[in-house]
Amino acid sequence: MKNIKYLKPLSPLQKGDDNMGVLENKGAIEYSKGLEGVIAALSSISAIDGEQGKLIYRGIPIEMLAKHSTYEETAYFLLYGELPTKSALDEFVAEMKELRYLPKRVEECILELPPNPHPMDILKVAVAHAGLYDPDQLESCREGVMRKVIRIIAEIPTIIAYYHRARTKQEIVPPNPNLGHAANFLYMLHGKEPDPEEARIFDIAMILHAEHGLNASTFAAMVTASTLSDINSAIVSAIGTLKGPLHGGANERVLKMLDEIGTPDRVEEYVKNALMEKRRIMGFGHRVYKTYDPRARILKQYAEKLSDKYGDRKWISIGEKIEEMMIRELGKKGIFPNVDFYSGIVYSFLGIPRDLFTPVFAMARSVGWAAHVCEYTQNNRIFRPRGYYTGPDYVEYIPIEQRR
Ligand SMILES: CC(C)(COP(=O)(O)OP(=O)(O)OC[C@H]1O[C@@H](n2cnc3c(N)ncnc32)[C@H](O)[C@@H]1OP(=O)(O)O)[C@@H](O)C(=O)NCCC(=O)NCCS
């Protein structure tokens, strides 16, 4: 036993001392619970200034892209690293439109799936299934991998819309080649062309959700891809990770909370009780932003706009009251609204069912996942962190008959 050097603390960890420690045989090594603050990769895709509340995609502020760009152009920019020329964008848009159609067997399978599972689980299954029919499955050259990536990004909206139509016993609506990515999703979901202003708002929401550094789901995709697994497996890992309520699943829960509260005059009591009971208020707080999330600022404007358009200010007035109280109570701790707080109100007015909020997040974020996978694997190193062993050095094995 003597020669074995385990990576373990020099002395037992004290309560509340679980974010940093000194490791035996390695000198002073920091470890970070939840990898907070750890730089795990170099990337030129996006940057967040968590103190100032700024987000850039490859140098361009998110506000500028939301104002001037489209989801397709932003996707190209994130994937290829430069803004497309007019002809490059036309070609990219045409390719995305062409790849929207699902393989027949995948379409048939979606129609047969049970209506009750969470649509994020359906998305996981369908993306994995579609990968089996990918004609570029064995491609490993850059163009082949890019085609696979664009195919997945183009197929996800069709999977979500088809599943929703099937589970609600409505005819599926095939993609409309005259519509852009965001508008076509609303069309396939509702069976009618969306109002252009609403389609544009959805397009902007998609731009805002397209990329966000090494968040949990992107990191999950990168970890999978770093083993030189395939892109479908990486995206499936990311979908499973995004599903959780501490990540992409928060948007759905925000609307549930707004309904539970019911009226603005009940906010004070609800939030007070939640904080007293140490419950999280969904749509608040962020690992990186310690101020207002810039995406939430933009989405709030559209939540306001749609509330006025539909003459229904119930959700927004409750939301604003929660925001006011949370900033008053927890602003000093850096807790502010994040992207999920107002996105649900926007999606609700666009007629998107609540359990599709997170799949819609996945639909947008698939670009960020793919961009990071492509960037990281070009200069790949398998991810393999170490654990911090806190158990005993040696325990005698007791045969089962002698155990009590
Ligand atoms: C996003 C999130 C997981 C970030 O977590 P994190 O960086 O690990 O931050 P912590 O969990 O350490 O929280 C730090 C402190 O803020 C508090 N806090 C964080 N988010 C909070 C929230 N939404 N409501 C109430 N308190 C919150 C924590 O209780 C903790 O307080 P303490 O120091 O007194 O123990 C966290 O803010 C959260 O759970 N938010 C709600 C879910 C959500 O909206 N997710 C979407 C993210 S885009």
Side-chain angles (χ1 to χ4, degrees), residues 269-281:
E269 188 195 346
Y270 181 95
V271 174
K272 215 161 80 192
N273 286 341
L275 296 184
M276 231 159 56
E277 290 161 18
K278 298 250 169 252
R279 277 187 285 123
R280 301 264 157 132
I281 301 292

Side-chain angles (χ1 to χ4, degrees), residues 12 45-46 58 87 113 134 152 165-166 168 191 215 227 240 252 255 323 346 354 363 377 399:
I45 300 172
S46 69
R58 297 195 181 277
S87 64
L113 288 168
D134 189 333
I152 296 171
R165 300 286 296 183
T168 52
N215 55 84
T227 68
E252 190 180 330
L255 258 280
E323 176 186 325
V346 170
R354 279 183 202 178
M363 169 178 152
T377 50

